[in-house]
Amino acid sequence: MKLIIAVVQDKDSNRLSEALVKANFRATKLASTGGFLKAGNTTFLIGTEDEHIEQVKEIIKKNCQSRDQLVAPISPMGGNADSYVPYPVEVQVGGATVFVLPVEQFEQF
Ligand code: 2BA
Ligand code: 2BA
């Protein structure tokens, strides 16, 4: 068994969870925040058998789009001057960042 951790954009999260349910996969959604943009994103935990990993990755790929996002300059006033970006920068936020981890045990009580 493997645990897939997928960080996706909020805009894609409903579509992805619907597609997973439709394909009979179980998942847990966590509200998360990107360390760089400091904007909300969604982290999916999907536990599934090894032979289904490719299918889950395909579903993620199909339902998550990559987009360009503008990072607005944030005033350092009262904040952390180390992270101050004085001009807007465009970054490409990927469709999904996916990790596949081995699962030692899976129990449901
Ligand atoms: P449980 O299987 O007891 O799962 C309870 C919650 O645990 C799930 O909430 C989900 O958040 C998490 N979970 C379970 N298996 C997981 C896995 N392999 N990977 C990641 N997270 C997992 P919900 O998704 O809201 O599901 C509530 C209950 O609805 C489930 O209870 C199950 O009885 C049923 N269910 C969930 N997905 C289903 C599906 N695709 N088809 C049929 N029944 C489903
Ligand atoms: P954020 O950390 O908010 O990053 C959003 C986008 O900003 C990234 O898109 C990337 O294009 C850019 N970016 C991030 N860190 C950067 C840096 N130090 N310098 C320059 N540009 C940077 P993605 O790579 O597609 O990542 C989307 C989200 O996925 C990230 O949101 C983060 O929440 C998660 N993520 C990506 N790589 C990760 C990793 N190795 N470990 C954990 N989470 C990761």
Side-chain angles (χ1 to χ4, degrees):
M1 193 180 195
K2 295 277 194 292
L3 178 68
I4 300 174
I5 300 178
V7 184
V8 312
Q9 294 175 62
D10 287 344
K11 283 177 188 154
D12 296 323
S13 75
N14 276 343
R15 198 152 43 119
L16 178 57
S17 55
E18 275 163 28
L20 288 168
V21 170
K22 212 165 158 189
N24 210 21
F25 289 110
R26 313 231 156 164
T28 298
K29 270 166 75 175
L30 307 174
S32 46
T33 307
F36 187 69
L37 292 181
K38 296 177 178 67
N41 53 28
T42 304
T43 301
F44 280 79
L45 305 180
I46 309 156
T48 190
E49 301 307 328
D50 291 25
E51 62 266 30
H52 293 132
I53 296 299
E54 288 308 315
Q55 195 190 345
V56 173
K57 286 201 289 190
E58 275 307 310
I59 293 173
I60 296 171
K61 217 186 274 179
K62 222 169 113 186
N63 288 280
C64 300
Q65 296 170 19
S66 115
R67 296 181 182 92
D68 287 329
Q69 214 160 308
L70 212 58
V71 186
I74 306 156
S75 161
M77 295 269 286
N80 183 359
D82 293 346
S83 61
Y84 180 57
V85 183
Y87 47 87
V89 219
E90 200 164 62
V91 291
Q92 193 182 54
V93 186
T97 297
V98 176
F99 304 86
V100 181
L101 286 71
V103 172
E104 209 160 285
Q105 278 189 30
F106 170 73
E107 314 261 12
Q108 286 191 301
F109 300 112

